Amino acid sequence: MQMISFSKIKQWRRCHKAYDYKYNQSLRRKRPAKPLLTGTIIHEMLHARALQQIAPDSKTKPPLAVLRSYEKKYRLLFREEQEMYGLTYISDLRRIYEGYERHWKNDGLVALSTEEPVITDLSSDVRFIGYIDKRMQDREGRVFITDHKNHKNLPGDDDRFSDLQLIFYVWAWNRENKARPVTGVLWDYLKTKPPAIPELLKNGELTKRANIDTDYFTYLATIEEHGLDPKDYREILSALKTRHNNFYKRVFLPAPRKQMIDLVVEDMRSTALQIAALGKSVKDRNMTRDCTWCSYYNLCQAELRGLDSDFVKKTQYIVEEKEDNGDQAEE
């Protein structure tokens, strides 16, 4: 039976050639792009955070220890490679995570599971497998399938309307777990740019720009770092304390209506059957202005231009071992 994941479906719909690179040739960039690496690290840190909630007495590596393991790898990079990610990359990630912890310290949510597989058959010979980021329970006992999302800018309602993954997961989970259905879905957003550290002006004071993209904690910490008096910054601190948070956001929604779920599931099933039938043979390119975001852009361009694509493949990519159980990493 062929195993199909949501990331396979998404990649197939985006570009058949990229699907071929990733799933048929099993190619992965040696140095992942910054957005992908950032998402991976934050995902692993939040996974460790949930494991500590689920099994506090276990020997699970804490979130900041996960970050330290990546910091060791970062230090082994050449200076030019470090600059590709940013010289403050690790400290920025630490500030993003610590801000997340502060912001949601008393949120009342408890992790029931993390990276939990959900498996269901789409046809007699195609099986879907997915991994749910979290199942979270609130104070009222309601359970939400949760997806962590990392963005440069926090998305709006239109972006969620086109995000079909959680809808599909609700259907798959409730289909296979009728005795413990989920109540709804939760999008858990993190901004991948940390709060700006206010600059120190020539007169020895911190900038008081009203549009500075920071938060109360960061501004106050910078005041203390420079030995300044918080009373001199009372006005901007008050504004930051009451300002709508621009770095972390959660959106709760009830489980979608049956009509919407049925349409999404039918669309997903149709694509999954296409992959099962054509995934090894169809390799056409879907060329758009979004191609520059693709992990395989350099290789694809080399092939199109008749350049030495074998050299690009050898120097920029590695071949991963193929997995028969779907694909856990969602991009």
Side-chain angles (χ1 to χ4, degrees):
M1 179 171 285
Q2 183 161 346
M3 307 296 285
I4 297 291
S5 67
F6 188 85
S7 62
K8 282 186 175 181
I9 291 173
K10 184 168 64 173
Q11 188 69 82
W12 177 264
R13 289 179 169 182
R14 184 180 296 160
C15 179
H16 295 161
K17 188 59 184 177
Y19 179 95
D20 175 59
Y21 288 138
K22 183 172 183 177
Y23 294 107
N24 294 334
Q25 300 186 45
S26 301
L27 297 178
R28 178 175 65 82
R29 285 189 66 93
K30 291 181 178 180
R31 293 279 180 257
K34 182 177 178 179
L36 181 58
L37 180 61
T38 298
T40 298
I41 295 174
I42 291 176
H43 186 91
E44 290 184 16
M45 293 174 75
L46 294 178
H47 175 61
R49 180 179 187 265
L51 286 177
Q52 288 188 316
Q53 286 187 348
I54 296 168
D57 297 329
S58 68
K59 296 181 180 179
T60 301
K61 183 186 294 187
L64 290 180
V66 172
L67 182 60
R68 284 193 293 271
S69 67
Y70 278 98
E71 184 176 15
K72 291 178 182 177
K73 298 176 184 178
Y74 176 84
R75 288 176 177 173
L76 295 175
L77 298 176
F78 292 111
R79 177 78 174 190
E80 293 79 8
E81 293 175 313
Q82 291 182 357
E83 289 177 349
M84 182 178 75
Y85 296 111
L87 297 180
T88 60
Y89 184 61
I90 297 298
S91 60
D92 287 348
L93 286 172
R94 181 177 291 107
R95 293 204 296 121
I96 290 169
Y97 178 77
E98 290 175 345
Y100 180 91
E101 283 279 14
R102 283 193 304 271
H103 190 73
W104 299 118
K105 183 177 180 180
N106 299 309
D107 61 5
L109 292 178
V110 177
L112 301 179
S113 67
T114 177
E115 291 301 321
E116 187 171 20
V118 56
I119 303 171
T120 194
D121 291 344
L122 298 178
S123 72
S124 59
D125 56 358
V126 177
R127 176 168 293 167
F128 171 81
I129 179 169
Y131 293 84
I132 297 171
D133 274 359
K134 308 281 181 299
R135 279 190 306 118
M136 306 289 285
Q137 186 175 48
D138 66 10
R139 292 187 177 96
E140 286 73 39
R142 296 172 296 192
V143 179
F144 298 86
I145 284 183
T146 302
D147 192 16
H148 299 298
K149 295 288 189 181
N150 314 295
H151 293 273
K152 186 177 180 179
N153 295 298
L154 299 186
D157 294 340
D158 290 341
D159 298 278
R160 283 187 290 279
F161 181 77
S162 61
D163 185 357
L164 305 178
Q165 181 176 347
L166 287 195
I167 297 175
F168 192 69
Y169 279 10
V170 166
W171 169 79
W173 176 267
N174 287 347
R175 186 188 196 199
E176 300 296 331
N177 297 273
K178 293 182 173 60
R180 47 183 186 142
V182 295
T183 307
V185 297
L186 165 59
W187 283 274
D188 189 10
Y189 295 113
L190 296 87
K191 191 173 181 178
T192 53
K193 179 184 176 183
I197 297 175
E199 63 267 28
L200 190 66
L201 303 177
K202 291 181 179 180
N203 61 6
E205 297 180 354
L206 295 181
T207 179
K208 297 180 181 179
R209 288 186 294 109
N211 64 345
I212 184 171
D213 192 19
T214 190
D215 63 1
Y216 174 85
F217 176 85
T218 302
Y219 201 100
L220 179 60
T222 309
I223 291 173
E224 294 172 348
E225 178 185 349
H226 291 288
L228 302 173
D229 188 350
K231 293 180 181 178
D232 296 334
Y233 299 89
R234 187 177 300 142
E235 185 175 343
I236 189 169
L237 286 173
S238 177
L240 289 172
K241 204 167 190 177
T242 57
R243 179 188 292 181
H244 178 71
N245 181 270
N246 192 37
F247 298 94
Y248 310 100
K249 180 180 180 180
R250 285 176 175 170
V251 178
F252 295 82
L253 289 176
R257 298 174 63 178
K258 183 178 183 301
Q259 180 181 2
M260 185 175 188
I261 290 177
D262 289 346
L263 289 172
V264 168
V265 170
E266 189 54 41
D267 286 349
M268 295 293 176
R269 181 182 283 113
S270 176
T271 303
L273 294 177
Q274 287 179 30
I275 295 172
L278 304 172
K280 297 292 185 181
S281 58
V282 176
K283 303 174 184 179
D284 55 302
R285 291 172 170 83
N286 179 28
M287 298 175 64
T288 72
R289 63 180 182 179
D290 296 336
C291 285
T292 54
W293 302 353
C294 179
S295 297
Y296 305 102
Y297 177 73
N298 292 343
L299 177 57
C300 186
Q301 286 292 298
E303 291 181 352
L304 282 170
R305 298 175 186 275
L307 304 177
D308 191 348
S309 58
D310 288 337
F311 177 78
V312 174
K313 188 182 296 186
K314 180 179 179 180
T315 56
Q316 297 188 22
Y317 298 86
I318 61 173
V319 178
E320 288 188 311
E321 291 186 14
K322 291 187 178 181
E323 297 182 0
D324 296 326
N325 62 340
D327 182 65
Q328 185 168 347
E330 299 288 351
E331 293 185 10

